[in-house]
């Protein structure tokens, strides 16, 4: 009687991503040493908001959104320190790896997504000299700017009327006078890197 063959154990699932910089980023345990701004800029310039459902020749990228949020932070509080503005520019940086999930999908996935996003954000902050966890005042300022950016994008690019956008995102009390114009992914990447250098 033949002895049954032992089955080889299945290899552990791969939880890291190779970046074009050569870094290997572990998504479950990200190290600040494996994070490069060029990788972030590239990823964010190729990842689009609103699931690509925006007007214009190109999809509206996370890199463009990040620049918009940082600009709004400066308008809301002109004396904002450069490190706070850098935090605003990087507020969606984890999406260079995990993508931009629309809010309804995040709710459907649950807390696992948020935990992963938070670990990546902490590593990114540490890599660029920011506190792993931002002060509440900074977080609130960036969230306020983020909501304003979402309203502007919704009404200018994503087909929302004013009433619908106001209900979902809240109409900003002091509406920034900003017209959004789409740019190419390459231009978005270059603009993001340039602003990062100015703030660093």
């Amino acid at each position: 009687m033949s002895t049954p063959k032992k089955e080889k154990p299945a290899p552990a699932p791969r939880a890291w991503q190779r970046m074009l910089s050569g870094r290997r980023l572990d998504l479950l345990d990200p190290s600040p040493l494996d994070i490069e701004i060029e990788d972030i800029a590239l990823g964010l310039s190729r990842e689009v908001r609103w699931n690509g459902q925006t007007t214009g020749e190109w999809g509206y990228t996370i890199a463009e959104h990040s620049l918009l949020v940082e600009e709004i932070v400066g308008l809301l509080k002109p004396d904002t320190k450069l490190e706070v503005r850098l935090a605003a520019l990087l507020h969606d940086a984890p999406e260079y790896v995990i993508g931009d999930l629309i809010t309804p999908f995040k709710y459907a996935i649950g807390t696992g997504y948020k935990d992963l996003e938070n670990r990546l954000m902490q590593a990114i902050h540490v890599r660029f000299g920011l506190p792993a966890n931002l002060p509440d005042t900074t977080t609130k300022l960036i969230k306020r700017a983020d909501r304003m950016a979402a309203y502007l994008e919704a009404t200018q690019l994503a087909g929302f009327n004013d009433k619908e956008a106001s209900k979902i995102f809240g109409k900003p009390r002091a509406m920034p006078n900003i017209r959004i114009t789409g740019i190419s992914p390459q231009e978005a990447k270059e603009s993001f890197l340039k602003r990062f250098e100015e703030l660093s």
Side-chain angles (χ1 to χ4, degrees):
M1 186 173 179
S2 62
T3 309
K5 290 183 180 178
K6 287 185 178 179
E7 289 187 23
K8 290 183 180 178
R14 180 170 66 90
W16 54 267
Q17 180 175 344
R18 174 74 64 196
M19 300 296 170
L20 286 182
S21 65
R23 299 290 188 186
R24 192 171 96 163
L25 182 65
D26 185 333
L27 301 184
L28 299 179
D29 186 22
S31 167
L33 298 175
D34 291 325
I35 292 168
E36 297 293 343
I37 194 61
E38 291 81 8
D39 293 330
I40 292 174
L42 177 66
L44 296 186
S45 71
R46 294 180 175 181
E47 187 70 36
V48 295
R49 278 176 63 78
W50 308 97
N51 272 353
Q53 300 298 307
T54 53
T55 59
E57 184 177 353
W58 299 285
Y60 184 72
T61 68
I62 308 300
E64 292 171 84
H65 167 75
S66 300
L67 288 160
L68 177 60
V69 169
E70 188 269 323
E71 180 183 357
I72 293 172
V73 163
L75 292 173
L76 290 173
K77 196 174 175 190
D79 60 345
T80 300
K81 293 180 181 178
L82 290 183
E83 63 209 39
V84 173
R85 294 188 73 156
L86 178 60
L89 184 70
L90 296 172
H91 80 282
D92 276 342
E95 294 177 7
Y96 88 105
V97 179
I98 58 179
D100 179 43
L101 299 183
I102 58 173
T103 301
F105 196 57
K106 288 180 184 178
Y107 284 124
I109 291 174
T111 58
Y113 174 87
K114 198 66 185 168
D115 292 342
L116 178 64
E117 186 179 43
N118 286 339
R119 284 195 297 275
L120 280 165
M121 182 59 87
Q122 288 171 345
I124 290 165
H125 281 169
V126 171
R127 170 66 178 85
F128 300 117
L130 298 169
N133 296 297
L134 299 174
D136 285 346
T137 52
T138 299
T139 300
K140 286 176 184 175
L141 176 63
I142 293 171
K143 282 187 177 177
R144 182 179 172 203
D146 196 23
R147 282 194 305 273
M148 293 174 95
Y151 180 90
L152 291 171
E153 294 163 8
T155 53
Q156 293 183 31
L157 301 173
F160 288 68
N161 63 40
D162 186 71
K163 184 177 178 182
E164 186 180 25
S166 297
K167 183 177 178 183
I168 296 171
F169 307 106
K171 186 167 186 176
R173 290 191 302 274
M175 178 72 74
N177 186 20
I178 297 173
R179 288 300 306 168
I180 303 172
T181 54
I183 56 179
S184 72
Q186 182 62 30
E187 189 179 348
K189 175 189 168 188
E190 291 168 1
S191 297
F192 184 92
L193 285 171
K194 181 182 177 187
R195 190 60 181 146
F196 173 84
E197 291 299 328
E198 291 168 350
L199 295 171
S200 296

